[in-house]
């Protein structure tokens, strides 16, 4: 089972970074690869079990189920339930932590999933670079310009 872990330090307080990303339905507002999103069945974006349905810049549609959400721990966990990628048994967590040396945030995004062995490296690299690091880079740029 491949694991992807990407981390970054963002030059902004954890509360401000969390406020920017905490909306489970708000990916298009901060992640450049996500273009539209909605929560299915009219549920709230913080309801454990809700499903977000979103499109990425390529036009692909992805559906993800919320597994855990915590304002106290600045954490969101989810699983992909539908994607054009050859992925199954996916679970990911995005968590923010306070950096005590300055007004900065340590961000970590990790995922485990199953994929055919001959595609594991490509899928893991794309997820790590395009989705996780791409999101962190967008956050760093947003707060650098703030």
């Amino acid at each position: 089972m491949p694991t992807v872990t990407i981390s970054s330090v963002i030059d902004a307080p954890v509360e401000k970074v969390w406020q920017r990303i905490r909306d489970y339905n708000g990916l298009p507002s901060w992640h450049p690869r996500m273009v539209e999103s909605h929560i299915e069945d009219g549920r709230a974006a913080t309801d454990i079990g809700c499903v977000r349905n979103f499109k990425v810049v390529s036009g692909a549609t992805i559906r993800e189920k919320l597994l855990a959400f915590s304002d106290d721990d600045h954490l969101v966990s989810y699983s992909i339930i539908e994607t054009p990628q050859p992925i199954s048994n996916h679970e990911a967590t995005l968590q923010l932590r306070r950096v005590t040396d300055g007004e900065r945030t340590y961000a970590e995004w990790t995922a485990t999933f199953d994929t055919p062995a001959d595609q594991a490296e490509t899928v893991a690299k794309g997820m790590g670079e395009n989705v996780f690091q791409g999101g962190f880079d967008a956050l760093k740029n947003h707060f650098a310009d703030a």
Side-chain angles (χ1 to χ4, degrees):
M1 178 176 281
T3 300
V4 177
T5 300
I6 302 294
S7 63
S8 195
V9 175
I10 301 165
D11 288 324
V14 69
E15 295 83 6
K16 286 188 178 181
V17 180
W18 180 243
Q19 192 59 40
R20 179 115 176 110
I21 70 167
R22 79 175 290 277
D23 180 2
Y24 185 62
N25 191 39
L27 279 173
S29 71
W30 65 271
H31 200 297
R33 297 184 62 82
M34 315 308 169
V35 295
E36 66 180 59
S37 179
H38 71 275
I39 300 294
E40 295 179 359
D41 302 322
R43 295 184 67 181
T46 54
D47 285 351
I48 303 304
C50 75
V51 174
R52 70 178 166 197
N53 185 321
F54 63 95
K55 284 191 180 174
V56 296
V57 293
S58 69
T61 298
I62 299 172
R63 295 175 67 236
E64 297 175 336
K65 182 178 182 178
L66 184 63
L67 302 175
F69 180 90
S70 173
D71 281 324
D72 292 336
D73 295 324
H74 307 110
L75 174 143
V76 61
S77 291
Y78 60 93
S79 63
I80 294 176
I81 55 177
E82 186 178 315
T83 178
Q85 293 291 320
I87 295 171
S88 61
N89 298 317
H90 172 277
E91 189 168 318
T93 299
L94 171 56
Q95 184 167 23
L96 306 178
R97 293 184 177 94
R98 184 179 319 281
V99 174
T100 59
D101 179 19
E103 291 290 311
R104 297 180 293 162
T105 297
Y106 173 78
E108 183 176 84
W109 208 337
T110 186
T112 58
F113 54 91
D114 291 328
T115 192
D118 64 335
Q119 297 180 50
E121 187 175 326
T122 301
V123 170
K125 183 177 180 185
M127 187 180 296
E129 291 178 2
N130 298 328
V131 180
F132 298 176
Q133 190 62 55
F136 290 157
D137 289 347
L139 289 168
K140 288 194 277 189
N141 289 337
H142 171 80
F143 288 105
D145 297 339

